[in-house]
């Protein structure tokens, strides 16, 4: 049993968590498909090697789409927890392309690069002696390469009936925990560096290119960084709601985006464990592992024992102003809503 536990732990570092869940609305048999590719975020990872959140962001998105079109919607999640961007691209988007090639497909979404960033952060934290920043640069470069490749591949392979293609960018898990000094020392100053000061611009670069490539290649960009890291009220008196002010602006330069999000508006950034939805009310968007989004609605089998297929009635029959009653109370609910705002009016 001990050997099995060690084996299971190793497998969990890159764990396939594939789920098909159909939102089954009453009085209709028409069904369309939404396909989502990604790592542990879209998988709905919750620390288990055998199950995952039923309503991770892509399935929340499918629930919104079902209400908008008054049809059944099949949410296909092809995800691999622990996968870096190259792995998601090669072993999910490319290897599992058949799921988006179905004639019933109307939406294709994906997310990646989180594990590239997490692995680079771990490597940097372990450094002693002179700091080597190349691990962060390599993560950014890999993210850019495979985000662009993924969009090109989806554009070439998604069924012609697909109405919407969308990417979700990265929030910053561990924002507060990273506000500590490094063990390594900068070669120019001889001093240790604040790790958050180094990681934030790297995440900003990844996020910029996700949204910029989306603009160039016919995708929409769901700005999860802005949704998670900024309050839903104007905390600095600049006349803008913080989560709106942090959003990528179509066509802006990389330098402008990084300066705006990591410098000018840095004081408005908040750890997503305390997501302020008003000046006096907040919710926890991050699970106790300080990495993965919170969720509600139970779990489904997904992981070591294979994927699962299920069907269930929608949790809500309609959405007032395009938002569920819990749209801002959990991390996955917020990300799913952010994906949904780009949905076309008809299939």
């Amino acid at each position: 049993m001990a050997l099995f536990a060690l084996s299971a732990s190793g497998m969990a570092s890159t764990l396939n968590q594939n789920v098909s869940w159909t939102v089954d609305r009453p009085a209709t048999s028409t069904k369309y498909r939404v396909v989502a590719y990604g790592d542990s975020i879209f998988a709905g990872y919750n620390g288990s090697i055998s199950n995952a959140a039923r309503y991770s962001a892509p399935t929340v998105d499918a629930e919104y789409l079902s209400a908008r079109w008054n049809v059944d919607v099949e949410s296909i999640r092809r995800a691999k927890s622990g996968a870096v961007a190259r792995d998601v691209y090669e072993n999910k988007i490319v290897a599992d392309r058949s799921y988006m090639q179905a004639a019933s497909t109307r939406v294709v979404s994906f997310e990646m690069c989180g594990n590239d960033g997490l692995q680079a952060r771990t490597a940097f934290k372990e450094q002693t002696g002179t700091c080597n920043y190349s691990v962060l640069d390599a993560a950014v470069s890999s993210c850019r390469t495979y985000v662009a490749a993924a969009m090109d591949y989806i554009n070439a392979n998604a069924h012609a009936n697909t109405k919407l293609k969308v990417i979700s960018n990265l929030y910053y898990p561990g924002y507060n925990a990273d506000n500590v000094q490094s063990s390594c020392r900068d070669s120019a100053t001889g001093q240790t560096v604040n790790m958050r000061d180094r990681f934030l611009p790297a995440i900003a670069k990844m996020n910029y290119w996700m949204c910029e490539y989306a603009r160039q290649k016919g995708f929409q960009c769901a700005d999860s960084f802005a949704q998670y890291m900024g309050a839903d009220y104007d905390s600095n008196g600049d006349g803008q709601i913080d989560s709106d002010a942090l959003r990528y602006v179509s066509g802006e330069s990389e330098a402008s985006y990084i300066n705006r999000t990591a410098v000018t508006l840095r004081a408005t950034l908040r750890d997503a464990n305390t997501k302020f939805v008003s000046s006096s009310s907040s919710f926890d968007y991050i699970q106790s592992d300080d990495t993965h989004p919170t969720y509600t609605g139970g779990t489904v089998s997904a992981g070591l024992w294979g994927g699962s297929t299920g069907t269930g009635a929608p949790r809500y029959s309609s959405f007032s102003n395009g938002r569920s009653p819990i749209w801002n109370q959990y991390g996955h609910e917020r990300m799913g809503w952010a994906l949904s705002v780009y949905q076309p009016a008809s299939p």
Side-chain angles (χ1 to χ4, degrees), residues 19-23 31-37 42 56-66 69 71-78 99-100 102 104-110 162-164 166 339-340 343-344:
V19 174
S20 170
W21 185 263
T22 297
V23 180
K31 182 167 68 175
Y32 296 108
R33 170 181 287 188
V34 298
V35 181
Y37 300 100
F42 271 11
S56 76
T59 304
V60 173
D61 181 33
E63 195 173 44
Y64 279 105
L65 191 62
S66 175
W69 291 351
V71 297
D72 299 338
V73 175
E74 178 188 31
S75 170
I76 300 287
R77 286 148 48 185
R78 306 300 297 182
Y99 292 92
M100 63 176 159
S104 61
T105 302
R106 292 297 181 275
V107 178
V108 178
S109 63
F110 78 99
T162 300
K163 291 291 191 74
L164 170 66
V166 57
L339 291 167
S340 78
Q343 292 172 350

Side-chain angles (χ1 to χ4, degrees), residues 34-334:
V34 298
V35 181
Y37 300 100
D39 52 37
S40 59
I41 304 303
F42 271 11
Y45 184 74
N46 61 1
S48 171
I49 62 172
S50 60
N51 65 68
R54 174 181 287 114
Y55 287 97
S56 76
T59 304
V60 173
D61 181 33
E63 195 173 44
Y64 279 105
L65 191 62
S66 175
R68 175 181 279 258
W69 291 351
N70 193 30
V71 297
D72 299 338
V73 175
E74 178 188 31
S75 170
I76 300 287
R77 286 148 48 185
R78 306 300 297 182
K80 190 176 185 181
S81 292
V84 294
R86 178 177 179 175
D87 197 356
V88 173
Y89 171 69
E90 292 179 347
N91 294 307
K92 286 302 168 185
I93 293 173
V94 175
D96 287 351
R97 60 188 175 275
S98 63
Y99 292 92
M100 63 176 159
Q101 291 174 332
S104 61
T105 302
R106 292 297 181 275
V107 178
V108 178
S109 63
F110 78 99
E111 53 82 24
M112 57 172 57
C113 300
N115 288 302
D116 300 74
L118 290 174
Q119 291 182 18
R121 178 171 70 178
T122 297
F124 187 78
K125 285 183 175 181
E126 293 174 348
Q127 290 183 17
T128 57
T130 302
C131 294
N132 178 4
Y133 302 121
S134 66
V135 292
L136 304 180
D137 296 334
V140 173
S141 178
S142 180
C143 180
R144 286 190 60 177
T145 295
Y146 290 105
V147 164
M151 290 182 180
D152 290 341
Y153 195 85
I154 291 169
N155 280 337
N157 286 274
H159 197 278
N161 290 339
T162 300
K163 291 291 191 74
L164 170 66
K165 292 164 286 190
V166 57
I167 185 173
S168 175
N169 71 6
L170 303 176
Y171 57 91
Y172 186 160
Y175 183 74
N176 283 348
D178 283 348
N179 190 23
V180 293
Q181 295 302 113
S182 65
S183 297
C184 63
R185 295 180 178 274
D186 184 82
S187 60
T189 67
Q191 303 299 310
T192 60
V193 298
N194 181 277
M195 289 192 283
R196 190 166 71 184
D197 288 348
R198 291 291 168 175
F199 300 150
L200 181 58
I203 290 176
K205 288 179 182 179
M206 291 181 181
N207 283 341
Y208 171 79
W209 285 105
M210 288 183 193
C211 291
E212 175 60 14
Y213 282 144
R215 182 188 71 84
Q216 295 177 16
K217 297 175 182 292
F219 279 65
Q220 296 293 340
C221 185
D223 199 331
S224 293
F225 182 84
Q227 301 295 339
Y228 276 53
M229 307 303 296
D232 292 333
Y233 71 98
D234 181 7
S235 71
N236 63 347
D238 66 353
Q240 296 186 84
I241 294 172
D242 292 357
S243 55
D244 290 339
L246 287 165
R247 291 177 60 185
Y248 163 81
V249 176
S250 181
E252 70 180 320
S253 68
E254 180 187 43
S256 172
Y257 175 83
I258 293 172
N259 185 69
R260 181 167 55 81
T261 58
V263 181
T264 304
L265 296 176
R266 180 166 175 167
T268 69
L269 298 178
R270 297 290 183 271
D271 192 294
N273 278 292
T274 310
K275 163 68 182 188
F276 280 93
V277 298
S278 71
S279 60
S280 59
S281 180
S282 67
F283 294 98
D284 189 350
Y285 276 18
I286 307 292
Q287 295 178 42
S288 59
D289 64 2
D290 207 21
T291 301
H292 295 94
T294 51
Y295 65 93
T296 188
T299 62
V300 291
S301 297
L304 192 59
W305 314 120
S308 66
T309 300
T311 300
R315 294 175 296 174
Y316 305 100
S317 58
S318 62
F319 297 99
S320 177
N321 297 318
R323 295 172 175 175
S324 83
I326 57 172
W327 75 281
N328 61 358
Q329 296 181 22
Y330 300 90
H332 273 297
E333 297 292 330
R334 184 60 176 252

